[in-house]
Structure formats: C-alpha cells, structure tokens
C-alpha cells in the first residue's frame, strides 16, 4: 500500500521513490529482451511474474490512489504547492536565466514523451561527466496530456486558447508546426529547430545559425514517433534508451560546438507502456454523441458541453492548462482506454503520474576550476581489511571494504583478486564488483575466497594479494601475505 497524507505528498512520493517501479520495469524488459534474443529462456517465468506485479498491482494501486486526489479537488484546482504548472515553464525556467545578462543564451530541448523516470536516468548520466552539472525538477503537466497542448504550453506567451478545430493558439498565434513555433519564438529573439537538423550542422554553421538568438528551442522526437503507432509500439523501451543516448550527445554537441552553457531539457508529456496488451477490462466504454466532440483518442476526448460519464473524469482545460475558452475533456480513470484502435500498449493523454509529471533537467557547463573539481568522476575505492595476513590452510577468506557509496560521481569498480609470487598467481583469480549505493557497513563489505595452488610455499617468502582493475589490468592495491603451510598434502 502507498502511505501518503495528501496530493502533494503522493506527488512527492512518486518523484522520489515510486518512479523506480517504472524505471526498473523498463530496465528488466530491456535485459529480458537481450537474454531472449540470445536464445535464453531463463527469464521467461520471471518476466510473467513481473508483468503481473507491474500491471495488476503497481499501476492499478497507483491509479486508484491518484484518482482519489483528482476526486478530492485536484481536477478543479490543478495546482500542487511548489510545483510550477507546465504553462508557466517559460516564466519560471527560461526568463530568469535570460535576466542574468544580455550575452546569456538558453537552449531548450523538448523531447516528445520523455517521461520523468527516463529523465532521472539521463540526469545521473550527465552528472557522471566531467564539467557537467544537472539538476532535475518537475512541472505539473497540462491535462489532457497530449502533444498539441503540451508543446503550446512550453512556449512564451500569456494566453492559450483552443480553436474550433482543436488547434491550440498562443496569444492568438497558431503553434502546431515547427514554423509556427519559430514565429512565436522570434517575438522574444528566439528560434525553433529540429534536433536532427541542429546536430548535423558543422561547428561554424551551427554557431552562425544561433549567433543572434537568445533562446533556441530544439525539438526531439523518438519515443512518441515509435510508441504512437501499432506497428512500432513494441519498440517503445528501445526508443527510450535511444532518446537518453541522443539527448546526452545533443548536450555535448551544444557545449562543444555552440558554446552553450545553459540548457533545459523537458517534454510535452509522458506515457504509459506495458508489454502485455490491454484487455476488455481495461476499456472504459463511452457512449457519447458526436455533437460537441472535437477530438477523440484512446486516453481523452475533447469537446464542448460533454457532460459526465461513468468511470471517467470530466474537466475543463481552463482549470488544467489555463486556456481562455470553454473546452472540456473526458479521460478514463486509472490506466483504462476508451478504445484500442491504432495500438494501445503505449498511451498518453490521461492523468496518471507517468503522463503528467513532466521533467525539467537544468544542465550547466562548469567553467571555473574550483567547480570543475567537484564534477570529476572516479572509481570507488576498495581496501583490504586487516593489518596482517597469514594463510595457514588451502582456502583463505579475505575481507574487502568499499570505502564510499556509489553515486553520480563515484563509479562502481570490478576488480580481479589473487595471491601472487612476483608476477605469477599462486591462487585462483576471483572477480568482485563493488557497486553498493548504501552507507551501511554490512553492505559495503564483501568477502573473497581464494584457493592456493598445490605446491610448496616458504613462509619467509613475501607473497602479495593484488587487486587489479578488471577492465584495464592496472593494479589498484596490494597487501603482503605470509603463507605458513606446515603440511601441504591435504589439498
């Protein structure tokens, strides 16, 4: 059960802990796909169990508890204390950086359907790189959580409103296409460009392209392009992995080629995805007349004077996105869909935290020397416990202590350990990985068991236990060892 007192606490619980269910589910599915592609069936029973727990317990319970928040007033007052709404993104995140000086240029990278759990992984990745500092916060996404509304809400402007055909305008300017967004950004000395076009430019051409602009909006679309199609939605998690890699590369490109020092990475909305296809029990039947309906999708219906229906939430975009109109919407409760047409394993548009917790990654390029030192990464340190080491039996246990917890800047290390005489090992070579993120002494300590070769040993000879980096072969540490074997015929 999820223990929380109110809506802000459940939101905070998702951002701090519960998102791990989504992230680890994705990681497991990636690993299971890799194992099965190699012809291994070992993970298939476990895969069924994890799928059941993720879909039938986690998503279901989270949907019920979050639904209580909507019923208790969140839908009418779409605000959470200390969490900016998505339509306030420009005011809260872009403008403050521009006010720091005329020479400041802000790059805003918007990746379609880049949800919070993936952004957290990217944040960890960037914080592991020298001279980079990334911080992750969130926005309360617009509802319904779909591209047209989400993209419009991230643009500069004061008034969002719906047209009769369902298009969203920003200060009465159309906002759906790249050219239309570019026109809106030009009013604040900005520009819009696709990620693939930007990264294809040479350094000289790229710098010339952004030279006169203070704001550069870079649009990236991999996850939604793959997930939002029945023929390709099976590749959603591969698309997430590709997105994380491409966004990290885009950050490096902006820093190295365009002299970018300030970057914001965000999204229009998140998504829900499960490996198992939804069944009829996951459908919220909606017998609604076409009058007033402007847009009907798997996770939302837009229109005017829609009315209320069983197993749905009924709201107004004036409350959930700040639009100046009478647009209403219906969304199914929990993770349900209105229909399954066009694929239904990948969806968005609804109110689940995976859809509406929108990440904002603030990335800085660190230039001053004192701050650079703080961004350096290093492998975790490992020490051999004990002052003296005397081996009197064929089998011997050494105790290793990981000296600090693994973090964004402290990386796991895999070591190969053996007892040596000179350069030749006289025991088996044992591999051990130190990767604990805990500060608990019991979790930082590991034992290795080494078996001596069957041969004569001299207790006056200096032997050494050597720890070498498994990847580079470089010696990390050694301690002297005495081998005092009075009898050697019991191997």
């Amino acid at each position: 059960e999820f223990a929380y007192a109110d809506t802000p606490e459940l939101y905070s619980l998702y951002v701090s802990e519960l998102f791990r269910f989504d992230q680890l589910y994705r990681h497991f599915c990636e690993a299971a796909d890799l194992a099965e592609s190699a012809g291994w069936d070992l993970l298939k029973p476990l895969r069924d169990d994890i799928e059941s727990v993720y879909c039938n317990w986690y998503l279901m319970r989270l949907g019920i508890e979050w639904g209580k928040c909507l019923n208790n007033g969140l839908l009418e007052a779409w605000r959470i204390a200390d969490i900016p709404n998505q339509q306030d993104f420009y005011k809260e995140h872009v403008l403050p950086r521009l006010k720091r000086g005329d020479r400041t240029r802000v790059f805003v990278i918007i990746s379609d359907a880049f949800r919070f759990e993936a952004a957290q992984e990217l944040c960890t990745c960037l914080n592991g790189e020298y001279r980079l500092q990334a911080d992750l916060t969130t926005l309360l996404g617009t509802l319904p959580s779909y591209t047209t509304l989400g993209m419009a809400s991230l643009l500069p402007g004061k008034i969002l409103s719906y047209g009769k055909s369902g298009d969203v305008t920003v200060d009465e300017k159309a906002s759906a296409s790249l050219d239309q967004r570019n026109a809106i950004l030009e009013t604040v000395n900005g520009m819009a460009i696709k990620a693939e076009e930007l990264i294809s430019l040479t350094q000289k051409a790229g710098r010339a392209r952004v030279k006169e602009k203070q704001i550069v909006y870079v649009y990236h679309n991999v996850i939604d392009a793959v997930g939002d199609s029945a023929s390709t939605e099976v590749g959603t998690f591969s698309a997430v992995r590709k997105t994380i890699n491409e966004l990290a590369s885009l950050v490096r490109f902006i820093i190295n080629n365009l002299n970018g020092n300030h970057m914001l990475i965000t999204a229009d909305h998140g998504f829900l995805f499960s490996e198992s296809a939804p069944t009829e029990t996951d459908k919220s039947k909606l017998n609604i007349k076409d009058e007033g309906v402007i847009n009907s999708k798997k996770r939302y219906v837009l229109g005017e004077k829609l009315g209320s229906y069983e197993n749905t939430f009924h709201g107004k975009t004036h409350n959930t996105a700040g639009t100046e109109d009478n647009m209403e919407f219906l969304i199914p409760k929990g993770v349900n869909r209105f229909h399954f047409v066009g694929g239904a394993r990948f969806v968005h548009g609804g109110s689940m935290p995976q859809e509406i917790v929108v990440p904002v990654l603030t990335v800085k390029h660190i230039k001053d020397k004192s701050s650079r030192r703080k961004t350096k990464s290093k492998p975790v340190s490992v020490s051999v416990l004990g002052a003296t080491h005397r081996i009197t039996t064929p089998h011997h246990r050494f105790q290793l202590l990981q000296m600090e917890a693994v973090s964004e800047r402290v990386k796991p290390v895999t070591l190969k350990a053996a007892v040596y005489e000179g350069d030749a090992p006289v025991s088996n070579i044992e591999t051990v990985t130190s990767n604990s993120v805990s500060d608990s002494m019991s979790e930082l300590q590991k034992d290795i068991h080494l078996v001596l070769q069957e041969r004569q040993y001299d207790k006056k000879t200096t032997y050494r236990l050597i720890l070498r980096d498994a990847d580079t072969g470089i010696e990390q540490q050694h301690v002297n060892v005495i081998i005092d074997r009075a009898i050697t015929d019991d191997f």
Side-chain angles (χ1 to χ4, degrees):
E1 300 299 323
F2 305 141
Y4 66 97
D6 51 25
T7 298
E9 190 169 334
L10 181 54
Y11 185 97
S12 177
L13 186 63
Y14 180 80
V15 168
S16 62
E17 298 179 24
L18 295 180
F19 79 90
R20 293 285 185 189
F21 281 99
D22 303 304
Q23 190 179 76
L24 293 175
Y25 173 71
R26 173 170 59 83
H27 288 174
F28 175 81
C29 291
E30 286 183 284
D33 284 343
L34 182 63
E36 290 178 15
S37 68
W40 302 338
D41 294 332
L42 183 66
L43 293 178
K44 282 188 175 180
L46 179 60
R47 194 168 196 168
D48 293 338
D49 291 341
I50 287 179
E51 188 71 14
S52 177
V53 169
Y54 181 75
C55 296
N56 300 329
W57 177 75
Y58 168 66
L59 289 181
M60 184 186 72
R61 290 305 310 168
L62 182 60
I64 291 171
E65 298 306 318
W66 187 246
K68 292 177 183 177
C69 297
L70 270 72
N71 284 327
N72 290 336
L74 180 61
L75 198 58
E76 288 74 30
W78 192 248
R79 294 273 175 184
I80 295 178
D82 301 321
I83 307 297
N85 283 61
Q86 192 172 14
Q87 63 268 26
D88 296 326
F89 167 77
Y90 184 83
K91 178 179 69 177
E92 294 287 336
H93 287 280
V94 181
L95 272 182
R97 285 166 177 79
L98 294 177
K99 291 178 179 178
R100 294 174 185 175
D102 293 336
R103 298 184 64 184
T104 300
R105 180 180 295 117
V106 179
F107 289 86
V108 178
I109 303 169
I110 303 172
S111 185
D112 204 319
F114 189 54
R115 68 180 181 179
F116 178 80
E117 60 89 5
Q120 190 277 337
E121 186 170 334
L122 175 61
C123 184
T124 301
C125 170
L126 294 176
N127 274 330
E129 296 195 17
Y130 182 44
R131 298 191 301 169
L132 287 183
Q133 178 183 320
D135 298 294
L136 180 61
T137 57
T138 67
L139 304 167
L140 180 61
T142 55
L143 192 63
S145 53
Y146 74 110
T147 298
T148 302
L149 183 57
M151 289 294 187
S153 70
L154 296 170
L155 291 165
K158 295 182 179 180
I159 300 173
L160 291 178
S161 58
Y162 273 96
K164 291 184 178 180
S165 61
D167 56 310
V168 181
T169 63
V170 178
D171 292 342
E172 299 184 350
K173 299 181 182 71
S175 64
S177 71
L178 185 74
D179 288 342
Q180 290 168 343
R181 295 169 196 166
N182 188 70
I184 293 171
L185 287 162
E186 282 180 341
T187 64
V188 290
N189 193 25
M191 61 172 284
I193 188 171
K194 289 184 178 180
E196 59 266 32
E197 180 183 353
L198 180 66
I199 208 164
S200 69
L201 297 174
T202 64
Q203 183 183 82
K204 183 178 180 180
R207 290 184 180 182
R209 188 76 177 271
V210 303
K211 183 179 180 181
E212 303 299 327
K213 304 298 182 181
Q214 276 193 291
I215 307 166
V216 182
Y217 271 46
V218 184
Y219 290 91
H220 178 268
N221 184 13
V222 172
I223 299 173
D224 202 68
V226 170
D228 207 19
S229 170
S231 61
T232 58
E233 66 175 357
V234 66
T236 293
F237 284 159
S238 295
V240 174
R241 174 64 49 209
K242 182 179 180 183
T243 292
I244 292 171
N245 294 336
E246 287 190 359
L247 294 181
S249 296
L250 190 56
V251 167
R252 298 183 199 106
F253 177 86
I254 290 172
I255 289 172
N256 296 328
N257 288 39
L258 306 181
N259 288 329
N261 299 316
H262 302 277
M263 281 156 281
L264 295 163
I265 303 173
T266 189
D268 50 348
H269 55 75
F271 67 89
L272 287 166
F273 179 82
S274 63
E275 291 214 310
S276 55
T279 64
E280 281 298 310
T281 59
D282 300 310
K283 181 182 288 187
S284 291
K285 295 181 180 179
L286 190 63
N287 297 316
I288 187 172
K289 295 180 180 179
D290 289 340
E291 296 98 11
V293 174
I294 291 175
N295 207 343
S296 180
K297 299 293 183 179
K298 291 186 285 288
R299 288 283 285 164
Y300 67 93
V301 171
L302 274 175
E304 296 183 354
K305 299 178 181 179
L306 295 178
S308 300
Y309 293 83
E310 188 178 3
N311 295 322
T312 67
F313 292 112
H314 176 215
K316 298 179 179 179
T317 59
H318 174 72
N319 297 330
T320 60
T323 65
E324 297 294 329
D325 47 55
N326 298 315
M327 189 62 67
E328 299 179 8
F329 62 84
L330 299 170
I331 55 174
K333 293 185 176 181
V335 298
N336 278 15
R337 287 81 159 152
F338 286 137
H339 61 79
F340 300 155
V341 178
R345 293 159 64 183
F346 172 95
V347 291
H348 60 84
S351 65
M352 286 287 283
Q354 293 89 340
E355 300 169 282
I356 57 87
V357 176
V358 174
V360 178
L361 258 174
T362 302
V363 185
K364 298 178 183 178
H365 180 217
I366 305 299
K367 289 188 173 183
D368 62 281
K369 291 183 179 179
S370 61
S371 297
R372 279 185 181 184
R373 286 194 292 269
K374 297 178 183 178
T375 68
K376 286 187 176 180
S377 299
K378 64 174 184 175
V380 68
S381 300
V382 178
S383 291
V384 183
L385 292 178
T388 59
H389 303 275
R390 182 182 296 271
I391 300 177
T392 59
T393 62
H395 299 260
H396 190 80
R397 175 173 64 93
F398 292 94
Q399 292 180 304
L400 305 183
L401 180 65
Q402 181 180 320
M403 301 304 291
E404 56 207 320
V406 166
S407 65
E408 291 172 334
R409 301 292 180 190
V410 180
K411 301 303 181 183
V413 66
T414 299
L415 302 170
K416 290 186 179 294
V419 177
Y420 286 80
E421 180 180 2
D423 294 328
V426 297
S427 74
N428 63 307
I429 300 175
E430 188 76 11
T431 300
V432 60
T433 298
S434 294
N435 58 3
S436 176
V437 296
S438 171
D439 291 320
S440 168
M441 185 66 71
S442 61
E443 294 190 35
L444 293 173
Q445 185 174 312
K446 286 192 175 184
D447 294 344
I448 55 171
H449 297 268
L450 298 181
V451 181
L452 293 177
Q453 296 173 3
E454 185 177 353
R455 48 162 285 184
Q456 292 291 332
Y457 295 96
D458 185 350
K459 64 181 179 182
K460 295 181 180 180
T461 299
T462 299
Y463 302 93
R464 297 188 304 159
L465 170 69
I466 298 178
L467 306 180
R468 298 183 188 276
D469 187 291
D471 295 324
T472 65
I474 296 173
E475 181 179 316
Q476 299 298 309
Q477 187 186 11
H478 77 265
V479 295
N480 291 338
V481 174
I482 297 171
I483 301 179
D484 187 4
R485 297 285 292 114
I487 301 172
T488 60
D489 60 358
D490 58 351
F491 280 88

